Amino acid sequence: MHNPFETDLDKNAANYVPLTPLSFLTRTAYVYPGHTAWIHGARRATYREFQQRCRALASALSQRGIGPGKTVAVMATNIPAHLEAHYGVAMAGGVLNSINTRLDAAAVAFILDHGEAQVVIIDRELAPVMKKALAEASVKPFVIDIDDPAAGDAAMIGSIEYEAFLQEGDPDFDWQMPADEWQAIALNYTSGTTGNPKGVVYHHRGAYLNAIGNAMSWGLSHNPVYLWTLPMFHCNGWCFPWTITAYGGTHVCLRKVDPVAIYESIADNEVTHFCGAPTVLNMLINAPAEAKARMRSGVKAMTAGAAPPAAIIQAMEDMGMSITHTYGLTETYGPSVVCSWHAEWDELDISERAALKARQGVRYPVLEGLQVMDPETMKPVPSDGETMGEIMFRGNVVMKGYLKNPSTTDKSLADGWFHSGDLGVVHPDGYVQIKDRSKDIIISGGENISTLEVEGVLYQHPDILEAAVVAKPDPHWGETPCAFVTLKPGATTTAEEIIEFTRGRLAKFKCPKHVVFSELPKTSTGKIQKFVLREQAQSV
Amino acid sequence: MHNPFETDLDKNAANYVPLTPLSFLTRTAYVYPGHTAWIHGARRATYREFQQRCRALASALSQRGIGPGKTVAVMATNIPAHLEAHYGVAMAGGVLNSINTRLDAAAVAFILDHGEAQVVIIDRELAPVMKKALAEASVKPFVIDIDDPAAGDAAMIGSIEYEAFLQEGDPDFDWQMPADEWQAIALNYTSGTTGNPKGVVYHHRGAYLNAIGNAMSWGLSHNPVYLWTLPMFHCNGWCFPWTITAYGGTHVCLRKVDPVAIYESIADNEVTHFCGAPTVLNMLINAPAEAKARMRSGVKAMTAGAAPPAAIIQAMEDMGMSITHTYGLTETYGPSVVCSWHAEWDELDISERAALKARQGVRYPVLEGLQVMDPETMKPVPSDGETMGEIMFRGNVVMKGYLKNPSTTDKSLADGWFHSGDLGVVHPDGYVQIKDRSKDIIISGGENISTLEVEGVLYQHPDILEAAVVAKPDPHWGETPCAFVTLKPGATTTAEEIIEFTRGRLAKFKCPKHVVFSELPKTSTGKIQKFVLREQAQSV
């Protein structure tokens, strides 16, 4: 067919370059070489220095054989070396595998072997668990210690310290752009509540796009100051190592999520943005008054992992902070859904606003499709806020797939959609709301009970700090709801009083039959580990 | 080679979707269906309506045979139909050719034939020139009139009126995404100061990326209100039909750049952003005081096409407006270079700030490379602010090439860079500044004279409103600078006085030898037509 627009108009080196977030660092270091790239306690680096350190890292890694398809595992808190690995590893052509810092040695060993780690970069504080993991693992990677001043005095286990390793590299290393934007940039293991964790593979194209998607969804402008409250190992810090750099921002490091340290850093470094699960926000709200006294107004928080309860939204607003609620999974580069706010909603009262903001929302502009569907028929559910289906994602910020796991990849990406395993509804205005994980839903007497709905009511109780509801096997009903709650400091109440409280607010079959007072077990990312509670519930 | 990251991890429908700005409209219509998409006088459309109109247009065009590789030419002012064509044509798979509204019939006829237009959509006001063009052209396109209420009463020339044509289409048309992001989305003819205009072809990928690049470079946030002072036919309105839609913004239409109408619209519609050449800003500054009285504070202007002089920056700031200076060419999707501002520059005085802001700057984050090079050796010039070279671009926001012109495409995109034809320098901080178009530079006694430098001095003269300098042939020197100036209303001065003024501020060989008082001929985009002046200068 005659089509002059497809004739003599091919791709060439002038008009086609693979998308990669590495390009953001190159630009920002060029435009703002003297601007502060990262702050870590008393240390800071300009963008000129940050880029040179990343290039030196890439150079040194190249000399150790890292290139396309080769894995560099990093297990570290939110410190500069971890941030630099987000650039240096990919500049060498390699794949960054950022490991959850709270895993035990067996899990780490599995990951090192499955990811075929050739280099390991380890935070001194975490050296003991890594030492055990390395003893168990089959791979024999080259190990680099990060001797961070605040990392304690555990014995170092590697062949070289990180700063010395950088000295091996060339700070002007002429690194090459990826040959293809589909090339892998990162490997992130899902927390895997059952069986072995799965290795989610990201490509340069997706990392580039979701880095921008964060900014578009949050309304980010020039030179933000971003506090690293969110673990960098979690979906590559939700792609924020790349987002903040693209916008010429400053990364403020933080070894540990501690409310006093957070308030101090916000005040001292004039922080403008941070991310965290609602549990982190809760911790900030419940911090000592003297810590909160220096709070700056206008700070923006992005939260995900659970819907922020009304009380948290209100308390944050009272401190002059605004919250953006996002949602995503490891398989979608972290958040790729946002509860896009409508200006007219500002007029509503707090309970209405909280109800709207509790919804996961709509796709990021860089995600191409978000649907709630019946997984059998792949038909969308009606937008009635009632009918549950599985939340499905489509687009360039959906993973390449699971490493060395084609059958699960195929199942997960079947029919042109990523099957999230999350159950949700679509409201009449098109906003998606999660009702539960497929595996968390309680089926009692044939009725579905959303544990999130029951938890939402428990969070309204004035004495409850945190709550989680799981299924408890029941000979008559099949399953019944069992609540685990943590009370606020000084609060006293009874299981009976709490159950009575829910009676006025929920259909009777949804009310907890049992209430257990305890600390809630959490993943490293602040998510409550319901599989642990489900086991405990069996013996309640 | 063993590379598990390239094994069983292929593209599929779940994780790969071609990039296209059409996706932005789908999302915004979904998220903000009731938000105002466009305002045109008393008319307005919500995003629901806007999307339905675009889909109806796509549907009706499909029924008329428009699909991939088929051209729809539009010649219109900044009215809703023109905006809708930016979506509807591409949703049908076709290529939008938005024609400069100030061209004469012969030029339009050339473009219609060269672009092989199959459909023409014509603003009633411009019907007379289009009628002549169609009589001259070989193609026989289907013609649609836009009977805009403010378009005057020229005879309509088409087969159907635009609104009736929309009625032929299905507002729920199930349009298809482009099969490939490299597919053509638009065709824009360069103004072509010599010879026939060249047809620059854009693809979906580039349009998507530069739409985002605008927002990143301008710090755009949610729901901007954008006034259409910039012609939509100019590089597809610098990609802003897509940018503003991506951010859920409101497009405020404007048939004609008139300062009183602009101030009224800014006040009435609470405009937050607009674009325009410095001549447009100048027009605003010199508007009657009563028009300026209702000016809102905080409005942001993006300017390109020439450096904004200090007086303009100062006057805009005094009215509470801030200016972002960008630069680009038709071949780079409009602006793809920005004078990225440094917060610390705010402390400088106005002349220093103006000198910094006069520079074209650095690449957009979505442009991959910007260099000033010796076009012979392709070696970058030193960053000394002195050595001139040709400004070169590389990246995904460089055109596919020129339509049906492989030799010029190859020359223009040779050696992996787009050769802009603009001459510039690189300052020690890496910012690029244009010194001249290759063809505008004056060579006098073997010395290069930047006409922009001479004009910059003329603009400092208190009586001069506008100035342009061109080469005048000289038997002794080869060429000498000849200045054309327009004085401010009521001002009187002499050629001698002006030449004397420049003597104190420029090397003697750079001072104009002749000064001519006249109106300056301009292109439709506000650029001064130096080729006209060069002809006039021969007989001065």
Side-chain angles (χ1 to χ4, degrees), chain A residues 127-159:
Chain A
V129 66
M130 181 56 77
K131 187 178 180 184
K132 274 192 219 163
L134 287 166
E136 286 183 37
S138 308
V139 291
K140 298 295 163 214
F142 179 77
V143 178
I144 302 161
D145 289 293
I146 314 164
D147 186 17
D148 188 62
D153 57 2
M156 295 206 275
I157 60 170
S159 308

Short mmCIF file of all heavy atoms in Angstrom, two decimals, chain A residues 127-159:
data_model
loop_
_atom_site.label_atom_id
_atom_site.label_comp_id
_atom_site.label_asym_id
_atom_site.label_seq_id
_atom_site.Cartn_x
_atom_site.Cartn_y
_atom_site.Cartn_z
N ALA A 127 25.33 -7.06 57.58
CA ALA A 127 26.36 -8.05 57.23
C ALA A 127 26.12 -9.41 57.88
O ALA A 127 26.31 -10.45 57.22
CB ALA A 127 27.75 -7.51 57.58
N PRO A 128 25.68 -9.46 59.15
CA PRO A 128 25.50 -10.80 59.75
C PRO A 128 24.53 -11.69 58.98
O PRO A 128 24.82 -12.86 58.73
CB PRO A 128 24.98 -10.46 61.16
CG PRO A 128 25.55 -9.10 61.45
CD PRO A 128 25.53 -8.38 60.14
N VAL A 129 23.38 -11.14 58.58
CA VAL A 129 22.42 -11.99 57.86
C VAL A 129 22.97 -12.33 56.47
O VAL A 129 22.80 -13.45 55.98
CB VAL A 129 21.01 -11.34 57.81
CG1 VAL A 129 21.00 -10.08 56.98
CG2 VAL A 129 19.97 -12.32 57.28
N MET A 130 23.64 -11.37 55.84
CA MET A 130 24.20 -11.65 54.51
C MET A 130 25.30 -12.72 54.61
O MET A 130 25.42 -13.57 53.72
CB MET A 130 24.76 -10.36 53.90
CG MET A 130 25.37 -10.52 52.51
SD MET A 130 24.23 -11.25 51.28
CE MET A 130 23.19 -9.85 50.91
N LYS A 131 26.06 -12.68 55.69
CA LYS A 131 27.12 -13.68 55.86
C LYS A 131 26.52 -15.09 55.90
O LYS A 131 27.00 -16.01 55.22
CB LYS A 131 27.89 -13.40 57.17
CG LYS A 131 29.10 -14.28 57.34
CD LYS A 131 29.87 -13.93 58.61
CE LYS A 131 31.08 -14.84 58.76
NZ LYS A 131 31.78 -14.58 60.03
N LYS A 132 25.45 -15.22 56.67
CA LYS A 132 24.78 -16.52 56.73
C LYS A 132 24.21 -16.90 55.37
O LYS A 132 24.28 -18.07 54.94
CB LYS A 132 23.60 -16.47 57.73
CG LYS A 132 23.99 -16.76 59.15
CD LYS A 132 22.72 -16.99 60.00
CE LYS A 132 22.92 -16.34 61.36
NZ LYS A 132 21.69 -16.14 62.11
N ALA A 133 23.60 -15.92 54.70
CA ALA A 133 22.99 -16.20 53.40
C ALA A 133 24.04 -16.68 52.42
O ALA A 133 23.82 -17.63 51.65
CB ALA A 133 22.30 -14.94 52.88
N LEU A 134 25.20 -16.02 52.43
CA LEU A 134 26.27 -16.39 51.49
C LEU A 134 26.78 -17.80 51.78
O LEU A 134 27.16 -18.54 50.87
CB LEU A 134 27.40 -15.37 51.56
CG LEU A 134 27.08 -14.02 50.90
CD1 LEU A 134 28.10 -12.96 51.30
CD2 LEU A 134 27.00 -14.16 49.38
N ALA A 135 26.79 -18.14 53.05
CA ALA A 135 27.22 -19.50 53.42
C ALA A 135 26.26 -20.54 52.89
O ALA A 135 26.65 -21.64 52.48
CB ALA A 135 27.35 -19.60 54.94
N GLU A 136 24.98 -20.20 52.86
CA GLU A 136 23.96 -21.14 52.37
C GLU A 136 23.85 -21.17 50.86
O GLU A 136 23.42 -22.16 50.27
CB GLU A 136 22.58 -20.75 52.92
CG GLU A 136 22.37 -21.06 54.38
CD GLU A 136 20.95 -20.72 54.84
OE1 GLU A 136 20.00 -20.91 54.06
OE2 GLU A 136 20.81 -20.22 55.98
N ALA A 137 24.18 -20.03 50.21
CA ALA A 137 23.93 -19.91 48.77
C ALA A 137 24.95 -20.66 47.94
O ALA A 137 26.07 -20.92 48.40
CB ALA A 137 23.94 -18.43 48.38
N SER A 138 24.57 -21.02 46.72
CA SER A 138 25.50 -21.67 45.80
C SER A 138 26.37 -20.64 45.08
O SER A 138 27.51 -20.92 44.74
CB SER A 138 24.72 -22.45 44.74
OG SER A 138 23.81 -23.31 45.36
N VAL A 139 25.82 -19.46 44.80
CA VAL A 139 26.62 -18.45 44.09
C VAL A 139 27.72 -17.94 44.99
O VAL A 139 27.61 -17.96 46.22
CB VAL A 139 25.75 -17.26 43.61
CG1 VAL A 139 24.81 -17.68 42.49
CG2 VAL A 139 24.99 -16.63 44.77
N LYS A 140 28.79 -17.50 44.37
CA LYS A 140 29.93 -16.95 45.13
C LYS A 140 30.22 -15.53 44.62
O LYS A 140 31.19 -15.30 43.89
CB LYS A 140 31.17 -17.84 44.95
CG LYS A 140 30.98 -19.27 45.49
CD LYS A 140 30.76 -19.29 47.01
CE LYS A 140 30.17 -20.63 47.47
NZ LYS A 140 29.24 -20.48 48.63
N PRO A 141 29.38 -14.60 44.96
CA PRO A 141 29.55 -13.24 44.42
C PRO A 141 30.73 -12.52 45.05
O PRO A 141 31.18 -12.85 46.14
CB PRO A 141 28.24 -12.56 44.79
CG PRO A 141 27.74 -13.31 45.98
CD PRO A 141 28.21 -14.72 45.82
N PHE A 142 31.18 -11.49 44.35
CA PHE A 142 32.16 -10.55 44.89
C PHE A 142 31.40 -9.63 45.84
O PHE A 142 30.36 -9.07 45.49
CB PHE A 142 32.76 -9.75 43.72
CG PHE A 142 33.76 -8.72 44.15
CD1 PHE A 142 35.06 -9.09 44.51
CD2 PHE A 142 33.42 -7.38 44.19
CE1 PHE A 142 35.99 -8.13 44.90
CE2 PHE A 142 34.35 -6.41 44.58
CZ PHE A 142 35.63 -6.80 44.93
N VAL A 143 31.92 -9.49 47.08
CA VAL A 143 31.16 -8.77 48.10
C VAL A 143 31.82 -7.45 48.47
O VAL A 143 33.02 -7.38 48.73
CB VAL A 143 30.99 -9.65 49.36
CG1 VAL A 143 30.23 -8.88 50.45
CG2 VAL A 143 30.25 -10.95 49.01
N ILE A 144 31.00 -6.40 48.49
CA ILE A 144 31.44 -5.05 48.83
C ILE A 144 30.70 -4.60 50.09
O ILE A 144 29.47 -4.62 50.12
CB ILE A 144 31.13 -4.08 47.67
CG1 ILE A 144 31.82 -4.55 46.38
CG2 ILE A 144 31.52 -2.65 48.03
CD1 ILE A 144 31.23 -3.95 45.11
N ASP A 145 31.44 -4.19 51.10
CA ASP A 145 30.82 -3.67 52.33
C ASP A 145 30.60 -2.17 52.23
O ASP A 145 31.48 -1.46 51.74
CB ASP A 145 31.75 -3.90 53.54
CG ASP A 145 31.85 -5.36 53.94
OD1 ASP A 145 30.84 -5.92 54.40
OD2 ASP A 145 32.95 -5.93 53.77
N ILE A 146 29.46 -1.72 52.75
CA ILE A 146 29.29 -0.27 52.92
C ILE A 146 29.48 0.02 54.39
O ILE A 146 28.66 -0.36 55.23
CB ILE A 146 27.88 0.20 52.51
CG1 ILE A 146 27.44 -0.41 51.17
CG2 ILE A 146 27.83 1.74 52.45
CD1 ILE A 146 25.95 -0.30 50.93
N ASP A 147 30.58 0.70 54.71
CA ASP A 147 30.90 0.99 56.11
C ASP A 147 30.32 2.35 56.48
O ASP A 147 31.05 3.31 56.72
CB ASP A 147 32.42 0.97 56.30
CG ASP A 147 32.80 1.11 57.77
OD1 ASP A 147 31.91 0.90 58.63
OD2 ASP A 147 33.97 1.44 58.05
N ASP A 148 28.99 2.40 56.51
CA ASP A 148 28.33 3.65 56.84
C ASP A 148 28.60 4.00 58.30
O ASP A 148 28.54 3.13 59.17
CB ASP A 148 26.82 3.49 56.59
CG ASP A 148 26.08 4.81 56.72
OD1 ASP A 148 26.38 5.72 55.94
OD2 ASP A 148 25.22 4.92 57.62
N PRO A 149 28.91 5.28 58.60
CA PRO A 149 29.27 5.65 59.97
C PRO A 149 28.21 5.25 61.00
O PRO A 149 28.55 4.92 62.14
CB PRO A 149 29.40 7.17 59.90
CG PRO A 149 29.65 7.48 58.46
CD PRO A 149 28.99 6.41 57.67
N ALA A 150 26.94 5.23 60.60
CA ALA A 150 25.89 4.92 61.57
C ALA A 150 25.44 3.47 61.51
O ALA A 150 24.39 3.11 62.03
CB ALA A 150 24.70 5.86 61.33
N ALA A 151 26.24 2.62 60.83
CA ALA A 151 25.79 1.25 60.59
C ALA A 151 26.20 0.26 61.67
O ALA A 151 26.03 -0.94 61.51
CB ALA A 151 26.32 0.76 59.23
N GLY A 152 26.76 0.75 62.77
CA GLY A 152 27.13 -0.15 63.84
C GLY A 152 28.49 -0.78 63.58
O GLY A 152 29.23 -0.36 62.68
N ASP A 153 28.81 -1.80 64.38
CA ASP A 153 30.17 -2.34 64.31
C ASP A 153 30.20 -3.84 64.04
O ASP A 153 31.14 -4.53 64.42
CB ASP A 153 30.92 -2.01 65.60
CG ASP A 153 30.17 -2.55 66.81
OD1 ASP A 153 29.11 -3.20 66.62
OD2 ASP A 153 30.65 -2.33 67.94
N ALA A 154 29.16 -4.34 63.36
CA ALA A 154 29.20 -5.75 62.98
C ALA A 154 30.44 -5.98 62.10
O ALA A 154 30.90 -5.06 61.42
CB ALA A 154 27.93 -6.11 62.21
N ALA A 155 30.94 -7.19 62.12
CA ALA A 155 32.13 -7.50 61.32
C ALA A 155 31.81 -7.34 59.84
O ALA A 155 30.74 -7.73 59.38
CB ALA A 155 32.59 -8.92 61.59
N MET A 156 32.74 -6.74 59.10
CA MET A 156 32.54 -6.61 57.66
C MET A 156 32.88 -7.94 57.02
O MET A 156 33.69 -8.71 57.53
CB MET A 156 33.36 -5.46 57.13
CG MET A 156 32.86 -4.13 57.72
SD MET A 156 33.18 -2.71 56.70
CE MET A 156 34.85 -2.33 57.23
N ILE A 157 32.27 -8.23 55.90
CA ILE A 157 32.36 -9.59 55.33
C ILE A 157 32.88 -9.60 53.90
O ILE A 157 33.05 -10.67 53.31
CB ILE A 157 30.98 -10.29 55.34
CG1 ILE A 157 29.96 -9.48 54.52
CG2 ILE A 157 30.49 -10.47 56.78
CD1 ILE A 157 28.65 -10.22 54.28
N GLY A 158 33.14 -8.45 53.34
CA GLY A 158 33.45 -8.39 51.92
C GLY A 158 34.92 -8.31 51.60
O GLY A 158 35.79 -8.35 52.48
N SER A 159 35.20 -8.14 50.30
CA SER A 159 36.57 -8.04 49.82
C SER A 159 37.05 -6.60 49.82
O SER A 159 38.26 -6.35 49.74
CB SER A 159 36.66 -8.57 48.39
OG SER A 159 36.10 -9.84 48.30
#
